[in-house]
């Protein structure tokens, strides 16, 4: 090896690196071993989320526990968990995720059953499984496990999905089992996110249009039926359509959220100056944190946050395209799935807080308070970084092979 070369080790992989490229302002294509812009965007969202959780949670923490930093301290613990999760996920090769995807799906499925039997109930919903000092919302893991499973299935049964209905509906049966277990908690929002991700992947995999539209119609009818069968879901829909009809009852949360946006105007009231978070707006640091962002940072702040989230989603979709182009199908489909997941969950969370969609109890990716959501989203984001690293590494090795 010459003096101008160096062996670089990153994420468990090594490649010969030429020193001159490291010091040029315009690096040659493919010389970066990871997507710096994507990583910076993710870290920015998580950091911003910590600031907003600190701002939004103090009044409620003071009221509930007498310690205004109660949720802040817990969020710091969650962030430490994010560091550990990132360190582990970045070391795992994508071939391992593909190989063990059915096993991961089975383990999470068992956990979903365990939640119904021995889970912890909070606000009338049995969604949390306590393992030692850690309390996990298994539905968040279900999104992650099912995305990995679907990506592996599409690689194994790609031709079958395109040619006949049997290959198309096999993963739908698996989804239905997961959906029933999650609905028993109950958690309709997670099921909707998983359904949209499944439909999106099947469409991108080239499924027949007849099967595709039949699945969408079935999903819409099932959603309507689930809303009609549960009075509390029906109240959410009716209050979303006209929250001012009962502003101190079923429409209370949404009316308070809309008032927060109204106070925010163009540039907001300033960080920490929200009035609605003073126990007027329920779940101000979790499901409705975007309303606090709107009140404190205004329309400009909202646009900036949404732009970064959109950038991450589009970067994931672009990464999927690049992987498919070099025959890394599993990595490509998984990147697609994560991009759709982040984008749609953002749409649902923001749409609920501004009154365009019914309240679903979904967190704002990377920003809302909540350990399970933050940990799972961090794992998904680090998988994107790992996918891009392996793609760049394969391109560099291909170029080196041609040179040698």
């Amino acid at each position: 090896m010459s003096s101008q070369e160096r062996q670089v080790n990153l994420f468990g992989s090594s490649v010969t690196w030429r020193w001159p490229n490291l010091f040029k302002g315009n690096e040659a294509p493919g010389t970066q071993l990871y997507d710096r812009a994507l990583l910076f965007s993710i870290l920015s969202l998580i950091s911003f989320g910590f600031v907003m959780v600190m701002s939004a949670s103090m009044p409620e923490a003071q009221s509930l526990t007498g310690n205004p930093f109660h949720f802040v301290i817990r969020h710091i613990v969650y962030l430490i968990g994010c560091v550990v999760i990132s360190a582990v996920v970045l070391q795992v090769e994508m071939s391992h995720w593909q190989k063990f995807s059915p096993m991961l799906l089975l383990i999470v499925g068992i956990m979903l059953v365990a939640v119904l039997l021995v889970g912890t109930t909070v606000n009338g919903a049995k969604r949390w499984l306590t393992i030692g000092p850690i309390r996990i919302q298994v539905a968040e893991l279900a999104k992650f496990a099912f995305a990995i499973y679907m990506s592996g299935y599409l690689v194994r049964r790609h031709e079958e999905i395109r040619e006949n209905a049997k290959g198309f509906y096999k993963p739908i049966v698996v989804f239905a089992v997961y959906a029933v277990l999650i609905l028993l908690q109950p958690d309709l929002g997670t099921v909707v996110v998983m359904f949209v991700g499944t439909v999106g992947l099947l469409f991108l995999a080239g499924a027949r249009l007849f099967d595709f539209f039949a699945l969408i119609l079935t999903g819409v009818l099932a959603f309507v039926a689930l809303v009609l069968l549960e009075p509390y879901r029906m109240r959410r829909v009716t209050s979303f359509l006209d929250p001012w009809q009962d502003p101190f009852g079923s429409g209370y949360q949404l009316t308070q959220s809309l008032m927060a946006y109204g106070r925010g105007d163009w540039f907001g009231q300033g960080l920490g100056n929200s009035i609605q978070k003073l126990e007027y707006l329920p779940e101000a640091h979790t499901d409705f944190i975007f309303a606090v962002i709107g009140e404190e940072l205004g329309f400009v702040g909202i646009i900036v946050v949404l732009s970064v989230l959109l950038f991450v989603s589009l970067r994931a979709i672009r990464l999927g395209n690049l992987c498919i182009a070099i025959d890394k199908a599993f990595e490509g489909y998984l990147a697609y799935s994560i991009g759709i997941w982040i984008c749609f969950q953002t749409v649902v969370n923001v749409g609920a807080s501004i009154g365009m969609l019914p309240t679903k109890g979904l967190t704002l990716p990377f920003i809302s308070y909540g350990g399970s959501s933050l940990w799972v989203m961090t794992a998904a984001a680090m998988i994107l970084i790992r996918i891009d690293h392996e793609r760049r590494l394969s391109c560099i090795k291909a170029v080196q092979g041609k040179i040698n």
Side-chain angles (χ1 to χ4, degrees), residues 125-331:
K126 188 179 285 190
R127 301 177 184 174
W128 287 266
L129 190 63
T130 302
I131 304 174
I134 301 174
R135 195 168 68 179
I136 302 172
Q137 189 173 351
V138 185
E140 295 292 337
L141 289 176
K143 300 176 197 174
F144 182 75
F146 195 76
I148 295 174
Y149 165 77
M150 275 298 299
S151 302
Y153 179 85
L154 292 177
V155 174
R156 294 192 302 270
R157 305 290 184 180
H158 189 254
E159 293 302 322
E160 191 176 348
I161 289 172
R162 288 176 172 234
E163 293 174 0
N164 60 69
K166 183 179 178 181
F168 180 89
Y169 287 107
K170 277 182 181 178
I172 303 304
V173 174
V174 179
F175 166 78
V177 173
Y178 257 50
V180 170
L181 292 174
I182 295 171
L183 286 171
L184 290 174
Q185 297 181 5
D187 188 353
L188 180 59
T190 295
V191 173
V192 172
V193 171
M194 289 174 59
F195 177 77
V196 170
T198 302
V199 169
L201 276 186
L202 289 170
F203 177 77
L204 292 170
R208 298 184 304 175
L209 288 179
F210 174 79
D211 296 325
F212 178 74
F213 286 115
L215 178 61
I216 292 178
L217 179 61
T218 303
V220 171
L221 293 176
F223 176 80
V224 172
L226 288 169
V227 169
L228 294 176
L229 290 173
E230 287 289 348
Y232 82 93
R233 289 181 186 143
M234 194 64 193
R235 285 196 300 272
R236 283 186 176 183
V237 172
T238 53
S239 64
F240 133 76
L241 292 174
D242 187 8
W244 300 102
Q245 187 177 15
D246 187 13
F248 298 103
S250 60
Y252 177 78
Q253 196 169 26
L254 181 53
T255 54
Q256 297 299 318
S257 178
L258 293 175
M259 282 190 277
Y261 285 113
R263 290 192 74 249
D265 205 18
W266 283 95
F267 299 102
Q269 298 294 318
L271 187 63
N273 293 329
S274 168
I275 297 297
Q276 295 306 113
K277 71 182 181 183
L278 302 177
E279 297 192 78
Y280 293 106
L281 176 62
E283 310 296 339
H285 60 299
T286 55
D287 301 347
F288 279 79
I289 196 169
F290 201 69
V292 177
I293 295 173
E295 185 178 3
E296 295 189 351
L297 303 181
F299 181 75
V300 174
I302 285 175
I303 293 300
V304 172
V305 175
L306 289 180
S307 297
V308 179
L309 284 165
L310 179 62
F311 174 81
V312 172
S313 301
L314 293 179
R315 203 74 165 187
I317 300 298
R318 174 179 173 272
L319 177 58
N321 288 335
L322 294 173
C323 289
I324 296 294
I326 59 173
D327 295 325
K328 286 182 171 288
F330 172 75
E331 291 85 345

